[in-house]
Amino acid sequence: SSDLAFLDSVGTLIPPAYELWREHNVPEEKDEKDKSKKRRPVSVSPSTSQEISENQYAVICSEKQAKVISLPTQNCIHNHNITETSFVLRADIVTMSNSLCLACFCANGHIMALSLPSLRPLLDVNYLPLTNMRIARTFCFTNNGQALYLVSPTEIQRITYS
């Protein structure tokens, strides 16, 4: 599993290009064909208030490590080895305490949080080793220090971390 996200020059998450934007002041059309015409892709290019010379950052997380790469130069400015003996099952960019971090769940049960863009370790706790594939398939981080996964086909487990 790998994760990729982009940050602007001040470390704010840039939304993915595939998110939809809707005009709120336009009346809703009942015809689905007309609805799709109202959708616009999110622009990831700099706005007129930003200078084009500002850097952006790519945050990349693989099974063993995380990197922050400066764009457009493609220089690795921060690198963190997440695990030597296990591998990352899930990695998400989340908000904790009003700042962005990279949250990782490893197969050995560790939950880690790394600051962005510096990748400084903020949290490393042993939670739950991988005991069944349902946890690996359904585990996800949410904002404000929470995560969810399916314990059984009908039971959701919610955890908090800080």
Side-chain angles (χ1 to χ4, degrees):
S1 166
S2 64
D3 195 31
L4 174 70
F6 295 96
L7 308 176
D8 66 11
S9 62
V10 294
T12 303
L13 186 64
I14 297 173
Y18 59 82
E19 286 186 4
L20 299 178
W21 177 76
R22 295 178 186 248
E23 296 179 24
H24 296 289
N25 295 332
V26 176
E28 288 291 321
E29 298 291 333
K30 292 185 181 176
D31 187 300
E32 190 64 33
K33 193 174 185 180
D34 289 337
K35 274 186 179 181
S36 64
K37 291 179 185 176
K38 304 263 189 279
R39 297 178 182 170
R40 303 283 188 264
V42 173
S43 173
V44 294
S45 61
S47 68
T48 54
S49 64
Q50 294 177 323
E51 291 183 32
I52 294 178
S53 64
E54 289 183 350
N55 285 341
Q56 293 181 349
Y57 303 102
V59 179
I60 302 170
C61 185
S62 70
E63 290 184 347
K64 299 284 185 182
Q65 65 181 344
K67 291 184 177 184
V68 175
I69 298 170
S70 177
L71 299 175
T73 62
Q74 299 181 11
N75 293 330
C76 180
I77 59 169
H78 298 289
N79 184 20
H80 182 78
N81 289 326
I82 296 170
T83 180
E84 296 291 332
T85 59
S86 186
F87 56 94
V88 175
L89 290 170
R90 180 70 187 213
D92 289 308
I93 307 293
V94 296
T95 303
M96 265 181 54
S97 302
N98 296 323
S99 61
L100 286 178
C101 69
L102 174 64
C104 303
F105 176 55
C106 297
N108 63 4
H110 280 255
I111 293 177
M112 298 182 70
L114 305 170
S115 67
L116 287 175
S118 64
L119 296 178
R120 283 189 334 268
L122 301 173
L123 174 78
D124 186 358
V125 295
N126 190 14
Y127 174 64
L128 172 74
L130 183 61
T131 53
N132 72 39
M133 288 309 294
R134 180 178 288 119
I135 295 171
R137 286 192 322 269
T138 61
F139 194 97
C140 66
F141 290 99
T142 65
N143 289 327
N144 301 319
Q146 297 187 38
L148 304 166
Y149 62 91
L150 284 175
V151 177
S152 70
T154 59
E155 183 182 0
I156 297 173
Q157 177 70 47
R158 181 182 75 157
I159 61 171
T160 59
Y161 56 93
S162 60

